[in-house]
PDB file of all heavy atoms in Angstrom:
ATOM      1  N   SER A   1     -10.624  -3.448  -1.324  1.00 96.00           N
ATOM      2  CA  SER A   1      -9.378  -3.958  -1.890  1.00 96.00           C
ATOM      3  C   SER A   1      -8.441  -4.422  -0.782  1.00 96.00           C
ATOM      4  O   SER A   1      -8.592  -4.033   0.372  1.00 96.00           O
ATOM      5  CB  SER A   1      -8.685  -2.867  -2.710  1.00 96.00           C
ATOM      6  OG  SER A   1      -8.277  -1.814  -1.852  1.00 96.00           O
ATOM      7  N   MET A   2      -7.467  -5.254  -1.177  1.00 97.00           N
ATOM      8  CA  MET A   2      -6.375  -5.660  -0.301  1.00 97.00           C
ATOM      9  C   MET A   2      -5.081  -5.549  -1.094  1.00 97.00           C
ATOM     10  O   MET A   2      -5.056  -5.865  -2.286  1.00 97.00           O
ATOM     11  CB  MET A   2      -6.561  -7.099   0.174  1.00 97.00           C
ATOM     12  CG  MET A   2      -7.718  -7.285   1.121  1.00 97.00           C
ATOM     13  SD  MET A   2      -7.877  -8.992   1.664  1.00 97.00           S
ATOM     14  CE  MET A   2      -6.553  -9.074   2.859  1.00 97.00           C
ATOM     15  N   VAL A   3      -4.023  -5.079  -0.424  1.00 97.00           N
ATOM     16  CA  VAL A   3      -2.714  -4.919  -1.072  1.00 97.00           C
ATOM     17  C   VAL A   3      -1.639  -5.460  -0.136  1.00 97.00           C
ATOM     18  O   VAL A   3      -1.676  -5.205   1.071  1.00 97.00           O
ATOM     19  CB  VAL A   3      -2.423  -3.430  -1.385  1.00 97.00           C
ATOM     20  CG1 VAL A   3      -1.000  -3.241  -1.903  1.00 97.00           C
ATOM     21  CG2 VAL A   3      -3.434  -2.871  -2.383  1.00 97.00           C
ATOM     22  N   GLU A   4      -0.675  -6.207  -0.699  1.00 96.00           N
ATOM     23  CA  GLU A   4       0.485  -6.657   0.061  1.00 96.00           C
ATOM     24  C   GLU A   4       1.676  -5.800  -0.362  1.00 96.00           C
ATOM     25  O   GLU A   4       2.101  -5.826  -1.526  1.00 96.00           O
ATOM     26  CB  GLU A   4       0.783  -8.135  -0.237  1.00 96.00           C
ATOM     27  CG  GLU A   4       1.982  -8.656   0.534  1.00 96.00           C
ATOM     28  CD  GLU A   4       2.338 -10.102   0.180  1.00 96.00           C
ATOM     29  OE1 GLU A   4       1.558 -10.750  -0.543  1.00 96.00           O
ATOM     30  OE2 GLU A   4       3.400 -10.561   0.630  1.00 96.00           O
ATOM     31  N   LEU A   5       2.193  -5.008   0.595  1.00 96.00           N
ATOM     32  CA  LEU A   5       3.345  -4.146   0.346  1.00 96.00           C
ATOM     33  C   LEU A   5       4.528  -4.733   1.121  1.00 96.00           C
ATOM     34  O   LEU A   5       4.466  -4.854   2.346  1.00 96.00           O
ATOM     35  CB  LEU A   5       3.042  -2.717   0.805  1.00 96.00           C
ATOM     36  CG  LEU A   5       4.030  -1.614   0.405  1.00 96.00           C
ATOM     37  CD1 LEU A   5       4.113  -1.478  -1.125  1.00 96.00           C
ATOM     38  CD2 LEU A   5       3.627  -0.286   1.022  1.00 96.00           C
ATOM     39  N   CYS A   6       5.592  -5.120   0.405  1.00 93.00           N
ATOM     40  CA  CYS A   6       6.729  -5.802   1.036  1.00 93.00           C
ATOM     41  C   CYS A   6       7.916  -4.861   1.214  1.00 93.00           C
ATOM     42  O   CYS A   6       8.119  -3.941   0.427  1.00 93.00           O
ATOM     43  CB  CYS A   6       7.160  -6.989   0.178  1.00 93.00           C
ATOM     44  SG  CYS A   6       5.920  -8.284   0.145  1.00 93.00           S
ATOM     45  N   CYS A   7       8.714  -5.139   2.256  1.00 92.00           N
ATOM     46  CA  CYS A   7       9.928  -4.370   2.535  1.00 92.00           C
ATOM     47  C   CYS A   7      10.951  -5.304   3.166  1.00 92.00           C
ATOM     48  O   CYS A   7      10.717  -6.513   3.270  1.00 92.00           O
ATOM     49  CB  CYS A   7       9.620  -3.179   3.439  1.00 92.00           C
ATOM     50  SG  CYS A   7       8.895  -3.653   5.019  1.00 92.00           S
ATOM     51  N   GLU A   8      12.083  -4.743   3.597  1.00 89.00           N
ATOM     52  CA  GLU A   8      13.168  -5.569   4.123  1.00 89.00           C
ATOM     53  C   GLU A   8      13.065  -5.851   5.619  1.00 89.00           C
ATOM     54  O   GLU A   8      13.473  -6.912   6.082  1.00 89.00           O
ATOM     55  CB  GLU A   8      14.510  -4.897   3.837  1.00 89.00           C
ATOM     56  CG  GLU A   8      14.818  -4.771   2.355  1.00 89.00           C
ATOM     57  CD  GLU A   8      16.059  -3.935   2.122  1.00 89.00           C
ATOM     58  OE1 GLU A   8      17.085  -4.213   2.771  1.00 89.00           O
ATOM     59  OE2 GLU A   8      16.007  -2.998   1.313  1.00 89.00           O
ATOM     60  N   THR A   9      12.567  -4.885   6.398  1.00 89.00           N
ATOM     61  CA  THR A   9      12.561  -5.051   7.863  1.00 89.00           C
ATOM     62  C   THR A   9      11.203  -4.708   8.466  1.00 89.00           C
ATOM     63  O   THR A   9      10.431  -3.936   7.897  1.00 89.00           O
ATOM     64  CB  THR A   9      13.619  -4.141   8.523  1.00 89.00           C
ATOM     65  OG1 THR A   9      13.245  -2.767   8.318  1.00 89.00           O
ATOM     66  CG2 THR A   9      15.008  -4.382   7.958  1.00 89.00           C
ATOM     67  N   ASP A  10      10.967  -5.267   9.640  1.00 88.00           N
ATOM     68  CA  ASP A  10       9.743  -4.978  10.385  1.00 88.00           C
ATOM     69  C   ASP A  10       9.719  -3.518  10.831  1.00 88.00           C
ATOM     70  O   ASP A  10       8.658  -2.907  10.939  1.00 88.00           O
ATOM     71  CB  ASP A  10       9.658  -5.909  11.601  1.00 88.00           C
ATOM     72  CG  ASP A  10       8.258  -5.952  12.178  1.00 88.00           C
ATOM     73  OD1 ASP A  10       7.310  -5.945  11.384  1.00 88.00           O
ATOM     74  OD2 ASP A  10       8.120  -5.975  13.408  1.00 88.00           O
ATOM     75  N   PHE A  11      10.905  -2.960  11.062  1.00 91.00           N
ATOM     76  CA  PHE A  11      11.011  -1.553  11.452  1.00 91.00           C
ATOM     77  C   PHE A  11      10.419  -0.665  10.355  1.00 91.00           C
ATOM     78  O   PHE A  11       9.677   0.277  10.630  1.00 91.00           O
ATOM     79  CB  PHE A  11      12.491  -1.189  11.686  1.00 91.00           C
ATOM     80  CG  PHE A  11      12.701   0.253  12.025  1.00 91.00           C
ATOM     81  CD1 PHE A  11      12.441   0.737  13.296  1.00 91.00           C
ATOM     82  CD2 PHE A  11      13.148   1.144  11.053  1.00 91.00           C
ATOM     83  CE1 PHE A  11      12.625   2.084  13.609  1.00 91.00           C
ATOM     84  CE2 PHE A  11      13.341   2.483  11.355  1.00 91.00           C
ATOM     85  CZ  PHE A  11      13.082   2.955  12.632  1.00 91.00           C
ATOM     86  N   CYS A  12      10.726  -0.987   9.103  1.00 91.00           N
ATOM     87  CA  CYS A  12      10.213  -0.211   7.971  1.00 91.00           C
ATOM     88  C   CYS A  12       8.698  -0.370   7.848  1.00 91.00           C
ATOM     89  O   CYS A  12       7.973   0.606   7.670  1.00 91.00           O
ATOM     90  CB  CYS A  12      10.894  -0.663   6.681  1.00 91.00           C
ATOM     91  SG  CYS A  12      10.315   0.198   5.206  1.00 91.00           S
ATOM     92  N   SER A  13       8.202  -1.599   7.962  1.00 91.00           N
ATOM     93  CA  SER A  13       6.759  -1.835   7.790  1.00 91.00           C
ATOM     94  C   SER A  13       5.938  -1.177   8.894  1.00 91.00           C
ATOM     95  O   SER A  13       4.752  -0.910   8.725  1.00 91.00           O
ATOM     96  CB  SER A  13       6.456  -3.338   7.735  1.00 91.00           C
ATOM     97  OG  SER A  13       6.703  -3.949   8.977  1.00 91.00           O
ATOM     98  N   GLY A  14       6.587  -0.903  10.057  1.00 92.00           N
ATOM     99  CA  GLY A  14       5.886  -0.227  11.149  1.00 92.00           C
ATOM    100  C   GLY A  14       5.933   1.287  11.034  1.00 92.00           C
ATOM    101  O   GLY A  14       5.283   1.987  11.819  1.00 92.00           O
ATOM    102  N   ASN A  15       6.678   1.792  10.036  1.00 93.00           N
ATOM    103  CA  ASN A  15       6.820   3.237   9.863  1.00 93.00           C
ATOM    104  C   ASN A  15       5.505   3.873   9.403  1.00 93.00           C
ATOM    105  O   ASN A  15       4.776   3.312   8.588  1.00 93.00           O
ATOM    106  CB  ASN A  15       7.928   3.508   8.833  1.00 93.00           C
ATOM    107  CG  ASN A  15       8.169   4.975   8.607  1.00 93.00           C
ATOM    108  OD1 ASN A  15       7.428   5.616   7.872  1.00 93.00           O
ATOM    109  ND2 ASN A  15       9.199   5.506   9.221  1.00 93.00           N
ATOM    110  N   GLU A  16       5.221   5.050   9.919  1.00 95.00           N
ATOM    111  CA  GLU A  16       3.970   5.757   9.599  1.00 95.00           C
ATOM    112  C   GLU A  16       3.840   6.064   8.099  1.00 95.00           C
ATOM    113  O   GLU A  16       2.769   5.924   7.519  1.00 95.00           O
ATOM    114  CB  GLU A  16       3.949   7.073  10.394  1.00 95.00           C
ATOM    115  CG  GLU A  16       2.593   7.742  10.427  1.00 95.00           C
ATOM    116  CD  GLU A  16       2.611   9.008  11.280  1.00 95.00           C
ATOM    117  OE1 GLU A  16       3.182   8.992  12.383  1.00 95.00           O
ATOM    118  OE2 GLU A  16       2.056  10.000  10.801  1.00 95.00           O
ATOM    119  N   ASP A  17       4.959   6.446   7.462  1.00 95.00           N
ATOM    120  CA  ASP A  17       4.925   6.747   6.021  1.00 95.00           C
ATOM    121  C   ASP A  17       4.620   5.494   5.206  1.00 95.00           C
ATOM    122  O   ASP A  17       3.893   5.541   4.216  1.00 95.00           O
ATOM    123  CB  ASP A  17       6.256   7.343   5.562  1.00 95.00           C
ATOM    124  CG  ASP A  17       6.479   8.750   6.104  1.00 95.00           C
ATOM    125  OD1 ASP A  17       5.509   9.527   6.127  1.00 95.00           O
ATOM    126  OD2 ASP A  17       7.608   9.069   6.515  1.00 95.00           O
ATOM    127  N   PHE A  18       5.191   4.363   5.624  1.00 96.00           N
ATOM    128  CA  PHE A  18       4.943   3.084   4.944  1.00 96.00           C
ATOM    129  C   PHE A  18       3.455   2.733   5.034  1.00 96.00           C
ATOM    130  O   PHE A  18       2.819   2.389   4.035  1.00 96.00           O
ATOM    131  CB  PHE A  18       5.786   1.986   5.599  1.00 96.00           C
ATOM    132  CG  PHE A  18       5.661   0.629   4.957  1.00 96.00           C
ATOM    133  CD1 PHE A  18       6.566   0.208   3.995  1.00 96.00           C
ATOM    134  CD2 PHE A  18       4.632  -0.244   5.310  1.00 96.00           C
ATOM    135  CE1 PHE A  18       6.468  -1.047   3.407  1.00 96.00           C
ATOM    136  CE2 PHE A  18       4.513  -1.498   4.733  1.00 96.00           C
ATOM    137  CZ  PHE A  18       5.431  -1.895   3.776  1.00 96.00           C
ATOM    138  N   GLN A  19       2.908   2.854   6.240  1.00 95.00           N
ATOM    139  CA  GLN A  19       1.505   2.484   6.454  1.00 95.00           C
ATOM    140  C   GLN A  19       0.542   3.428   5.730  1.00 95.00           C
ATOM    141  O   GLN A  19      -0.488   3.002   5.212  1.00 95.00           O
ATOM    142  CB  GLN A  19       1.212   2.426   7.946  1.00 95.00           C
ATOM    143  CG  GLN A  19       1.948   1.268   8.606  1.00 95.00           C
ATOM    144  CD  GLN A  19       1.708   1.165  10.088  1.00 95.00           C
ATOM    145  OE1 GLN A  19       0.719   1.640  10.610  1.00 95.00           O
ATOM    146  NE2 GLN A  19       2.629   0.530  10.784  1.00 95.00           N
ATOM    147  N   LYS A  20       0.905   4.712   5.663  1.00 95.00           N
ATOM    148  CA  LYS A  20       0.055   5.667   4.940  1.00 95.00           C
ATOM    149  C   LYS A  20       0.067   5.361   3.439  1.00 95.00           C
ATOM    150  O   LYS A  20      -0.969   5.367   2.772  1.00 95.00           O
ATOM    151  CB  LYS A  20       0.533   7.104   5.174  1.00 95.00           C
ATOM    152  CG  LYS A  20      -0.387   8.123   4.487  1.00 95.00           C
ATOM    153  CD  LYS A  20       0.063   9.542   4.666  1.00 95.00           C
ATOM    154  CE  LYS A  20      -0.914  10.533   4.058  1.00 95.00           C
ATOM    155  NZ  LYS A  20      -1.390  10.212   2.722  1.00 95.00           N
ATOM    156  N   ALA A  21       1.275   5.068   2.906  1.00 95.00           N
ATOM    157  CA  ALA A  21       1.378   4.727   1.486  1.00 95.00           C
ATOM    158  C   ALA A  21       0.564   3.475   1.177  1.00 95.00           C
ATOM    159  O   ALA A  21      -0.157   3.417   0.165  1.00 95.00           O
ATOM    160  CB  ALA A  21       2.840   4.525   1.095  1.00 95.00           C
ATOM    161  N   LEU A  22       0.644   2.470   2.052  1.00 96.00           N
ATOM    162  CA  LEU A  22      -0.123   1.230   1.868  1.00 96.00           C
ATOM    163  C   LEU A  22      -1.616   1.528   1.855  1.00 96.00           C
ATOM    164  O   LEU A  22      -2.358   1.047   0.981  1.00 96.00           O
ATOM    165  CB  LEU A  22       0.227   0.238   2.977  1.00 96.00           C
ATOM    166  CG  LEU A  22      -0.568  -1.062   3.020  1.00 96.00           C
ATOM    167  CD1 LEU A  22      -0.485  -1.813   1.700  1.00 96.00           C
ATOM    168  CD2 LEU A  22      -0.096  -1.941   4.177  1.00 96.00           C
ATOM    169  N   SER A  23      -2.069   2.331   2.798  1.00 96.00           N
ATOM    170  CA  SER A  23      -3.483   2.699   2.878  1.00 96.00           C
ATOM    171  C   SER A  23      -3.943   3.435   1.619  1.00 96.00           C
ATOM    172  O   SER A  23      -5.005   3.160   1.063  1.00 96.00           O
ATOM    173  CB  SER A  23      -3.700   3.572   4.118  1.00 96.00           C
ATOM    174  OG  SER A  23      -4.997   4.062   4.164  1.00 96.00           O
ATOM    175  N   ASP A  24      -3.103   4.361   1.136  1.00 95.00           N
ATOM    176  CA  ASP A  24      -3.439   5.128  -0.074  1.00 95.00           C
ATOM    177  C   ASP A  24      -3.485   4.237  -1.309  1.00 95.00           C
ATOM    178  O   ASP A  24      -4.344   4.405  -2.179  1.00 95.00           O
ATOM    179  CB  ASP A  24      -2.420   6.256  -0.288  1.00 95.00           C
ATOM    180  CG  ASP A  24      -2.574   7.380   0.724  1.00 95.00           C
ATOM    181  OD1 ASP A  24      -3.620   7.437   1.405  1.00 95.00           O
ATOM    182  OD2 ASP A  24      -1.650   8.208   0.837  1.00 95.00           O
ATOM    183  N   ILE A  25      -2.544   3.281  -1.391  1.00 96.00           N
ATOM    184  CA  ILE A  25      -2.528   2.369  -2.548  1.00 96.00           C
ATOM    185  C   ILE A  25      -3.769   1.472  -2.526  1.00 96.00           C
ATOM    186  O   ILE A  25      -4.372   1.196  -3.568  1.00 96.00           O
ATOM    187  CB  ILE A  25      -1.227   1.540  -2.582  1.00 96.00           C
ATOM    188  CG1 ILE A  25      -0.027   2.469  -2.844  1.00 96.00           C
ATOM    189  CG2 ILE A  25      -1.292   0.458  -3.663  1.00 96.00           C
ATOM    190  CD1 ILE A  25       1.332   1.845  -2.573  1.00 96.00           C
ATOM    191  N   CYS A  26      -4.180   1.031  -1.333  1.00 96.00           N
ATOM    192  CA  CYS A  26      -5.421   0.245  -1.203  1.00 96.00           C
ATOM    193  C   CYS A  26      -6.612   1.043  -1.726  1.00 96.00           C
ATOM    194  O   CYS A  26      -7.463   0.519  -2.464  1.00 96.00           O
ATOM    195  CB  CYS A  26      -5.670  -0.132   0.254  1.00 96.00           C
ATOM    196  SG  CYS A  26      -4.572  -1.403   0.888  1.00 96.00           S
ATOM    197  N   MET A  27      -6.680   2.305  -1.343  1.00 95.00           N
ATOM    198  CA  MET A  27      -7.779   3.169  -1.783  1.00 95.00           C
ATOM    199  C   MET A  27      -7.738   3.347  -3.301  1.00 95.00           C
ATOM    200  O   MET A  27      -8.762   3.307  -3.981  1.00 95.00           O
ATOM    201  CB  MET A  27      -7.685   4.532  -1.086  1.00 95.00           C
ATOM    202  CG  MET A  27      -8.965   5.337  -1.174  1.00 95.00           C
ATOM    203  SD  MET A  27      -8.841   6.932  -0.332  1.00 95.00           S
ATOM    204  CE  MET A  27      -8.581   6.419   1.352  1.00 95.00           C
ATOM    205  N   HIS A  28      -6.536   3.515  -3.844  1.00 95.00           N
ATOM    206  CA  HIS A  28      -6.374   3.666  -5.294  1.00 95.00           C
ATOM    207  C   HIS A  28      -6.910   2.434  -6.025  1.00 95.00           C
ATOM    208  O   HIS A  28      -7.653   2.549  -7.000  1.00 95.00           O
ATOM    209  CB  HIS A  28      -4.894   3.875  -5.646  1.00 95.00           C
ATOM    210  CG  HIS A  28      -4.631   3.828  -7.116  1.00 95.00           C
ATOM    211  ND1 HIS A  28      -4.592   4.965  -7.896  1.00 95.00           N
ATOM    212  CD2 HIS A  28      -4.419   2.788  -7.955  1.00 95.00           C
ATOM    213  CE1 HIS A  28      -4.374   4.615  -9.155  1.00 95.00           C
ATOM    214  NE2 HIS A  28      -4.258   3.295  -9.214  1.00 95.00           N
ATOM    215  N   VAL A  29      -6.513   1.235  -5.549  1.00 95.00           N
ATOM    216  CA  VAL A  29      -6.937  -0.010  -6.199  1.00 95.00           C
ATOM    217  C   VAL A  29      -8.458  -0.140  -6.188  1.00 95.00           C
ATOM    218  O   VAL A  29      -9.078  -0.531  -7.182  1.00 95.00           O
ATOM    219  CB  VAL A  29      -6.280  -1.245  -5.521  1.00 95.00           C
ATOM    220  CG1 VAL A  29      -6.898  -2.543  -6.013  1.00 95.00           C
ATOM    221  CG2 VAL A  29      -4.778  -1.242  -5.776  1.00 95.00           C
ATOM    222  N   ALA A  30      -9.073   0.221  -5.056  1.00 94.00           N
ATOM    223  CA  ALA A  30     -10.534   0.109  -4.944  1.00 94.00           C
ATOM    224  C   ALA A  30     -11.249   1.106  -5.848  1.00 94.00           C
ATOM    225  O   ALA A  30     -12.273   0.794  -6.445  1.00 94.00           O
ATOM    226  CB  ALA A  30     -10.963   0.327  -3.491  1.00 94.00           C
ATOM    227  N   ALA A  31     -10.689   2.316  -5.956  1.00 89.00           N
ATOM    228  CA  ALA A  31     -11.414   3.399  -6.627  1.00 89.00           C
ATOM    229  C   ALA A  31     -11.085   3.557  -8.103  1.00 89.00           C
ATOM    230  O   ALA A  31     -11.855   4.155  -8.854  1.00 89.00           O
ATOM    231  CB  ALA A  31     -11.117   4.722  -5.908  1.00 89.00           C
ATOM    232  N   ASN A  32      -9.935   3.054  -8.550  1.00 86.00           N
ATOM    233  CA  ASN A  32      -9.463   3.395  -9.893  1.00 86.00           C
ATOM    234  C   ASN A  32     -10.263   2.721 -11.002  1.00 86.00           C
ATOM    235  O   ASN A  32     -10.690   1.587 -10.883  1.00 86.00           O
ATOM    236  CB  ASN A  32      -7.985   3.039 -10.066  1.00 86.00           C
ATOM    237  CG  ASN A  32      -7.374   3.812 -11.213  1.00 86.00           C
ATOM    238  OD1 ASN A  32      -7.242   5.023 -11.143  1.00 86.00           O
ATOM    239  ND2 ASN A  32      -7.007   3.127 -12.271  1.00 86.00           N
ATOM    240  N   ASP A  33     -10.462   3.464 -12.070  1.00 83.00           N
ATOM    241  CA  ASP A  33     -11.103   2.948 -13.277  1.00 83.00           C
ATOM    242  C   ASP A  33     -10.256   3.414 -14.460  1.00 83.00           C
ATOM    243  O   ASP A  33     -10.096   4.627 -14.619  1.00 83.00           O
ATOM    244  CB  ASP A  33     -12.528   3.490 -13.380  1.00 83.00           C
ATOM    245  CG  ASP A  33     -13.297   2.870 -14.537  1.00 83.00           C
ATOM    246  OD1 ASP A  33     -12.960   1.739 -14.920  1.00 83.00           O
ATOM    247  OD2 ASP A  33     -14.202   3.526 -15.053  1.00 83.00           O
ATOM    248  N   PRO A  34      -9.658   2.532 -15.255  1.00 83.00           N
ATOM    249  CA  PRO A  34      -9.879   1.090 -15.274  1.00 83.00           C
ATOM    250  C   PRO A  34      -9.234   0.367 -14.089  1.00 83.00           C
ATOM    251  O   PRO A  34      -8.259   0.842 -13.523  1.00 83.00           O
ATOM    252  CB  PRO A  34      -9.240   0.641 -16.593  1.00 83.00           C
ATOM    253  CG  PRO A  34      -8.246   1.695 -16.922  1.00 83.00           C
ATOM    254  CD  PRO A  34      -8.751   2.967 -16.338  1.00 83.00           C
ATOM    255  N   VAL A  35      -9.807  -0.793 -13.785  1.00 86.00           N
ATOM    256  CA  VAL A  35      -9.316  -1.629 -12.692  1.00 86.00           C
ATOM    257  C   VAL A  35      -7.963  -2.209 -13.117  1.00 86.00           C
ATOM    258  O   VAL A  35      -7.822  -2.731 -14.226  1.00 86.00           O
ATOM    259  CB  VAL A  35     -10.304  -2.784 -12.421  1.00 86.00           C
ATOM    260  CG1 VAL A  35      -9.763  -3.717 -11.353  1.00 86.00           C
ATOM    261  CG2 VAL A  35     -11.656  -2.230 -12.019  1.00 86.00           C
ATOM    262  N   PRO A  36      -6.932  -2.114 -12.260  1.00 91.00           N
ATOM    263  CA  PRO A  36      -5.648  -2.727 -12.624  1.00 91.00           C
ATOM    264  C   PRO A  36      -5.779  -4.246 -12.737  1.00 91.00           C
ATOM    265  O   PRO A  36      -6.500  -4.869 -11.964  1.00 91.00           O
ATOM    266  CB  PRO A  36      -4.721  -2.326 -11.473  1.00 91.00           C
ATOM    267  CG  PRO A  36      -5.613  -1.933 -10.337  1.00 91.00           C
ATOM    268  CD  PRO A  36      -6.896  -1.462 -10.938  1.00 91.00           C
ATOM    269  N   LEU A  37      -5.083  -4.820 -13.708  1.00 93.00           N
ATOM    270  CA  LEU A  37      -5.131  -6.269 -13.923  1.00 93.00           C
ATOM    271  C   LEU A  37      -3.882  -6.967 -13.387  1.00 93.00           C
ATOM    272  O   LEU A  37      -3.886  -8.172 -13.183  1.00 93.00           O
ATOM    273  CB  LEU A  37      -5.268  -6.578 -15.423  1.00 93.00           C
ATOM    274  CG  LEU A  37      -6.529  -6.053 -16.110  1.00 93.00           C
ATOM    275  CD1 LEU A  37      -6.465  -6.348 -17.597  1.00 93.00           C
ATOM    276  CD2 LEU A  37      -7.779  -6.692 -15.501  1.00 93.00           C
ATOM    277  N   ALA A  38      -2.797  -6.193 -13.203  1.00 94.00           N
ATOM    278  CA  ALA A  38      -1.535  -6.758 -12.717  1.00 94.00           C
ATOM    279  C   ALA A  38      -0.720  -5.646 -12.076  1.00 94.00           C
ATOM    280  O   ALA A  38      -1.007  -4.465 -12.275  1.00 94.00           O
ATOM    281  CB  ALA A  38      -0.759  -7.387 -13.874  1.00 94.00           C
TER     282      ALA A  38
END
């Protein structure tokens, strides 16, 4: 899976919590059944 997670600043997107959440959401999208449509 691929996920685009948007925020206001580059400082936020470089934060460890932001990156962990993004990684977890990617894993969720790949693994979840039913597959999200939107």
Side-chain angles (χ1 to χ4, degrees):
S1 66
M2 291 181 77
V3 173
E4 180 183 351
L5 191 62
C6 293
C7 59
E8 296 172 50
T9 66
D10 197 39
F11 177 78
C12 179
S13 68
N15 181 280
E16 194 177 316
D17 290 319
F18 182 95
Q19 292 179 23
K20 183 181 184 314
L22 175 56
S23 174
D24 288 345
I25 294 166
C26 287
M27 196 179 297
H28 171 94
V29 170
N32 200 67
D33 186 26
V35 176
L37 298 176

